[in-house]
Amino acid sequence: MRQNEMFTKACELSEIKEGKYDVAAVNRVLILIVWPTGSQPRAFQGMCPHDNEPLADAFFDGKTVTCRHHDWAFNGDTGACIKGKPCTLAEYPLKIEGDDILVDTDGITPNRVA
């Protein structure tokens, strides 16, 4: 864990279910909160690294996040690109406290691919 973590509420746990995703703005950063089937919620950058398009309208089948703009696809557990150029969605630390999902955006820059 990083020192001086600054977790901020992204959403309530009830707003997301296993196999689904949600988007939230945390500290003026668009966050994609993904809950892969059979796994735990994860927080990734909310903009596609390919063309900086928002992933707010992405398709998620419970395992793979697919950007609707150019069909780049990302593993919902790791953020690794599985269709498109080699890259990874930046991941933000996430924790659940009570009924809240908290995310720390400090010091993490969303990835971009030219």
Side-chain angles (χ1 to χ4, degrees), residues 3 10-12 16-17 19-20 22-23 25-26 31 39 41 43 47 59 66-67 79 92 95 105-106:
Q3 288 184 335
C11 64
E12 292 183 10
I16 186 169
K17 294 180 180 9
K20 303 292 183 183
D22 198 3
V23 292
V26 178
I31 304 291
S39 190
M47 303 298 282
F59 174 74
T66 303
C67 179
Y92 300 92
K95 68 180 179 179
T105 60
D106 190 47

mmCIF file of all heavy atoms in Angstrom, residues 3 10-12 16-17 19-20 22-23 25-26 31 39 41 43 47 59 66-67 79 92 95 105-106:
data_model
loop_
_atom_site.group_PDB
_atom_site.id
_atom_site.type_symbol
_atom_site.label_atom_id
_atom_site.label_comp_id
_atom_site.label_asym_id
_atom_site.label_seq_id
_atom_site.Cartn_x
_atom_site.Cartn_y
_atom_site.Cartn_z
ATOM 1 N N GLN A 3 1.811 5.119 0.984
ATOM 2 C CA GLN A 3 1.611 5.978 2.147
ATOM 3 C C GLN A 3 0.632 7.094 1.775
ATOM 4 O O GLN A 3 0.485 7.452 0.616
ATOM 5 C CB GLN A 3 2.935 6.595 2.590
ATOM 6 C CG GLN A 3 3.857 5.595 3.239
ATOM 7 C CD GLN A 3 5.111 6.264 3.753
ATOM 8 O OE1 GLN A 3 5.509 7.314 3.269
ATOM 9 N NE2 GLN A 3 5.724 5.661 4.743
ATOM 10 N N ALA A 10 -16.763 6.720 -4.129
ATOM 11 C CA ALA A 10 -17.075 6.702 -5.552
ATOM 12 C C ALA A 10 -18.564 6.435 -5.763
ATOM 13 O O ALA A 10 -19.195 7.047 -6.620
ATOM 14 C CB ALA A 10 -16.249 5.638 -6.264
ATOM 15 N N CYS A 11 -19.099 5.493 -4.986
ATOM 16 C CA CYS A 11 -20.512 5.153 -5.095
ATOM 17 C C CYS A 11 -20.887 4.259 -3.923
ATOM 18 O O CYS A 11 -20.035 3.902 -3.112
ATOM 19 C CB CYS A 11 -20.822 4.445 -6.421
ATOM 20 S SG CYS A 11 -20.020 2.843 -6.631
ATOM 21 N N GLU A 12 -22.149 3.916 -3.862
ATOM 22 C CA GLU A 12 -22.585 2.974 -2.838
ATOM 23 C C GLU A 12 -22.498 1.566 -3.412
ATOM 24 O O GLU A 12 -22.709 1.360 -4.614
ATOM 25 C CB GLU A 12 -24.012 3.294 -2.405
ATOM 26 C CG GLU A 12 -24.095 4.616 -1.660
ATOM 27 C CD GLU A 12 -25.482 4.926 -1.154
ATOM 28 O OE1 GLU A 12 -26.365 4.048 -1.212
ATOM 29 O OE2 GLU A 12 -25.683 6.068 -0.710
ATOM 30 N N ILE A 16 -23.840 -1.225 -7.672
ATOM 31 C CA ILE A 16 -23.162 -2.131 -8.601
ATOM 32 C C ILE A 16 -23.397 -3.566 -8.148
ATOM 33 O O ILE A 16 -23.533 -3.828 -6.953
ATOM 34 C CB ILE A 16 -21.656 -1.796 -8.710
ATOM 35 C CG1 ILE A 16 -20.983 -2.653 -9.782
ATOM 36 C CG2 ILE A 16 -20.974 -1.919 -7.367
ATOM 37 C CD1 ILE A 16 -19.588 -2.195 -10.131
ATOM 38 N N LYS A 17 -23.463 -4.450 -9.112
ATOM 39 C CA LYS A 17 -23.677 -5.865 -8.825
ATOM 40 C C LYS A 17 -22.605 -6.677 -9.541
ATOM 41 O O LYS A 17 -22.038 -6.225 -10.541
ATOM 42 C CB LYS A 17 -25.055 -6.303 -9.304
ATOM 43 C CG LYS A 17 -26.201 -5.646 -8.561
ATOM 44 C CD LYS A 17 -27.536 -6.134 -9.092
ATOM 45 C CE LYS A 17 -28.748 -5.559 -8.423
ATOM 46 N NZ LYS A 17 -28.659 -4.508 -7.503
ATOM 47 N N GLY A 19 -20.823 -8.870 -12.063
ATOM 48 C CA GLY A 19 -21.069 -9.019 -13.489
ATOM 49 C C GLY A 19 -21.462 -7.728 -14.184
ATOM 50 O O GLY A 19 -21.717 -7.720 -15.382
ATOM 51 N N LYS A 20 -21.475 -6.626 -13.441
ATOM 52 C CA LYS A 20 -21.870 -5.315 -13.985
ATOM 53 C C LYS A 20 -20.762 -4.294 -13.741
ATOM 54 O O LYS A 20 -19.765 -4.569 -13.093
ATOM 55 C CB LYS A 20 -23.164 -4.820 -13.326
ATOM 56 C CG LYS A 20 -24.332 -5.763 -13.463
ATOM 57 C CD LYS A 20 -24.796 -5.864 -14.890
ATOM 58 C CE LYS A 20 -26.024 -6.773 -14.997
ATOM 59 N NZ LYS A 20 -26.443 -6.943 -16.369
ATOM 60 N N ASP A 22 -20.105 0.279 -13.200
ATOM 61 C CA ASP A 22 -20.671 1.604 -12.978
ATOM 62 C C ASP A 22 -19.566 2.606 -13.252
ATOM 63 O O ASP A 22 -18.387 2.243 -13.296
ATOM 64 C CB ASP A 22 -21.185 1.734 -11.540
ATOM 65 C CG ASP A 22 -22.163 2.890 -11.354
ATOM 66 O OD1 ASP A 22 -22.507 3.568 -12.355
ATOM 67 O OD2 ASP A 22 -22.574 3.140 -10.214
ATOM 68 N N VAL A 23 -19.931 3.838 -13.451
ATOM 69 C CA VAL A 23 -18.937 4.902 -13.606
ATOM 70 C C VAL A 23 -19.170 5.937 -12.521
ATOM 71 O O VAL A 23 -20.296 6.120 -12.051
ATOM 72 C CB VAL A 23 -18.988 5.567 -15.003
ATOM 73 C CG1 VAL A 23 -18.533 4.612 -16.076
ATOM 74 C CG2 VAL A 23 -20.364 6.092 -15.312
ATOM 75 N N ALA A 25 -17.316 9.850 -10.954
ATOM 76 C CA ALA A 25 -16.289 10.888 -10.995
ATOM 77 C C ALA A 25 -15.744 11.019 -9.576
ATOM 78 O O ALA A 25 -16.493 11.289 -8.646
ATOM 79 C CB ALA A 25 -16.869 12.203 -11.480
ATOM 80 N N VAL A 26 -14.455 10.769 -9.440
ATOM 81 C CA VAL A 26 -13.797 10.862 -8.140
ATOM 82 C C VAL A 26 -12.645 11.850 -8.276
ATOM 83 O O VAL A 26 -11.741 11.639 -9.089
ATOM 84 C CB VAL A 26 -13.271 9.480 -7.680
ATOM 85 C CG1 VAL A 26 -12.552 9.598 -6.356
ATOM 86 C CG2 VAL A 26 -14.413 8.477 -7.592
ATOM 87 N N ILE A 31 -13.928 7.328 -13.337
ATOM 88 C CA ILE A 31 -13.537 6.002 -12.873
ATOM 89 C C ILE A 31 -14.556 4.984 -13.365
ATOM 90 O O ILE A 31 -15.762 5.211 -13.305
ATOM 91 C CB ILE A 31 -13.500 5.952 -11.323
ATOM 92 C CG1 ILE A 31 -12.573 7.025 -10.759
ATOM 93 C CG2 ILE A 31 -13.124 4.563 -10.832
ATOM 94 C CD1 ILE A 31 -11.121 6.808 -11.021
ATOM 95 N N SER A 39 -15.335 -12.533 -9.021
ATOM 96 C CA SER A 39 -14.185 -11.789 -8.531
ATOM 97 C C SER A 39 -14.644 -10.666 -7.600
ATOM 98 O O SER A 39 -15.766 -10.706 -7.085
ATOM 99 C CB SER A 39 -13.397 -11.226 -9.726
ATOM 100 O OG SER A 39 -12.163 -10.696 -9.318
ATOM 101 N N PRO A 41 -14.820 -6.237 -6.894
ATOM 102 C CA PRO A 41 -14.854 -4.964 -7.621
ATOM 103 C C PRO A 41 -13.449 -4.389 -7.818
ATOM 104 O O PRO A 41 -12.581 -4.520 -6.952
ATOM 105 C CB PRO A 41 -15.686 -4.053 -6.714
ATOM 106 C CG PRO A 41 -16.522 -4.986 -5.907
ATOM 107 C CD PRO A 41 -15.648 -6.189 -5.688
ATOM 108 N N ALA A 43 -11.336 -0.832 -9.749
ATOM 109 C CA ALA A 43 -11.509 0.535 -10.245
ATOM 110 C C ALA A 43 -10.431 0.824 -11.289
ATOM 111 O O ALA A 43 -9.238 0.721 -11.002
ATOM 112 C CB ALA A 43 -11.416 1.535 -9.097
ATOM 113 N N MET A 47 -11.509 6.333 -19.132
ATOM 114 C CA MET A 47 -11.307 6.750 -20.515
ATOM 115 C C MET A 47 -10.481 5.688 -21.225
ATOM 116 O O MET A 47 -9.478 5.208 -20.688
ATOM 117 C CB MET A 47 -10.577 8.097 -20.578
ATOM 118 C CG MET A 47 -11.288 9.225 -19.832
ATOM 119 S SD MET A 47 -12.917 9.615 -20.458
ATOM 120 C CE MET A 47 -12.495 10.584 -21.896
ATOM 121 N N PHE A 59 -19.399 -1.935 -23.227
ATOM 122 C CA PHE A 59 -20.117 -3.190 -23.085
ATOM 123 C C PHE A 59 -19.309 -4.056 -22.128
ATOM 124 O O PHE A 59 -18.087 -4.153 -22.254
ATOM 125 C CB PHE A 59 -20.259 -3.880 -24.450
ATOM 126 C CG PHE A 59 -20.875 -5.242 -24.351
ATOM 127 C CD1 PHE A 59 -22.229 -5.393 -24.098
ATOM 128 C CD2 PHE A 59 -20.101 -6.377 -24.494
ATOM 129 C CE1 PHE A 59 -22.794 -6.652 -23.992
ATOM 130 C CE2 PHE A 59 -20.657 -7.637 -24.387
ATOM 131 C CZ PHE A 59 -22.005 -7.777 -24.132
ATOM 132 N N THR A 66 -15.531 -3.777 -23.209
ATOM 133 C CA THR A 66 -15.278 -3.439 -24.611
ATOM 134 C C THR A 66 -15.726 -2.010 -24.876
ATOM 135 O O THR A 66 -16.885 -1.657 -24.642
ATOM 136 C CB THR A 66 -16.026 -4.405 -25.564
ATOM 137 O OG1 THR A 66 -15.620 -5.744 -25.260
ATOM 138 C CG2 THR A 66 -15.715 -4.096 -27.017
ATOM 139 N N CYS A 67 -14.800 -1.202 -25.359
ATOM 140 C CA CYS A 67 -15.102 0.186 -25.711
ATOM 141 C C CYS A 67 -15.978 0.180 -26.961
ATOM 142 O O CYS A 67 -15.635 -0.434 -27.964
ATOM 143 C CB CYS A 67 -13.800 0.947 -25.966
ATOM 144 S SG CYS A 67 -14.060 2.668 -26.433
ATOM 145 N N GLY A 79 -7.391 -5.294 -16.266
ATOM 146 C CA GLY A 79 -7.323 -4.076 -17.062
ATOM 147 C C GLY A 79 -6.456 -4.222 -18.300
ATOM 148 O O GLY A 79 -6.319 -3.289 -19.079
ATOM 149 N N TYR A 92 -6.943 1.937 -9.983
ATOM 150 C CA TYR A 92 -6.938 2.738 -8.766
ATOM 151 C C TYR A 92 -7.215 1.835 -7.570
ATOM 152 O O TYR A 92 -8.055 0.930 -7.659
ATOM 153 C CB TYR A 92 -8.012 3.829 -8.840
ATOM 154 C CG TYR A 92 -7.813 4.780 -9.986
ATOM 155 C CD1 TYR A 92 -8.411 4.553 -11.221
ATOM 156 C CD2 TYR A 92 -7.010 5.904 -9.850
ATOM 157 C CE1 TYR A 92 -8.223 5.412 -12.281
ATOM 158 C CE2 TYR A 92 -6.811 6.773 -10.912
ATOM 159 C CZ TYR A 92 -7.420 6.524 -12.124
ATOM 160 O OH TYR A 92 -7.217 7.377 -13.174
ATOM 161 N N LYS A 95 -11.446 0.182 -2.002
ATOM 162 C CA LYS A 95 -11.808 -0.556 -0.793
ATOM 163 C C LYS A 95 -13.281 -0.326 -0.509
ATOM 164 O O LYS A 95 -13.869 0.669 -0.933
ATOM 165 C CB LYS A 95 -10.929 -0.180 0.395
ATOM 166 C CG LYS A 95 -11.099 1.223 0.933
ATOM 167 C CD LYS A 95 -10.146 1.440 2.110
ATOM 168 C CE LYS A 95 -10.257 2.839 2.674
ATOM 169 N NZ LYS A 95 -9.358 3.033 3.812
ATOM 170 N N THR A 105 -7.415 8.122 -6.057
ATOM 171 C CA THR A 105 -6.913 8.535 -7.376
ATOM 172 C C THR A 105 -5.546 9.199 -7.305
ATOM 173 O O THR A 105 -4.935 9.459 -8.337
ATOM 174 C CB THR A 105 -7.892 9.524 -8.039
ATOM 175 O OG1 THR A 105 -8.025 10.677 -7.209
ATOM 176 C CG2 THR A 105 -9.248 8.884 -8.277
ATOM 177 N N ASP A 106 -5.044 9.447 -6.121
ATOM 178 C CA ASP A 106 -3.816 10.219 -5.941
ATOM 179 C C ASP A 106 -2.602 9.538 -6.580
ATOM 180 O O ASP A 106 -2.321 8.372 -6.314
ATOM 181 C CB ASP A 106 -3.564 10.439 -4.446
ATOM 182 C CG ASP A 106 -2.446 11.423 -4.197
ATOM 183 O OD1 ASP A 106 -2.447 12.489 -4.846
ATOM 184 O OD2 ASP A 106 -1.562 11.117 -3.374
#
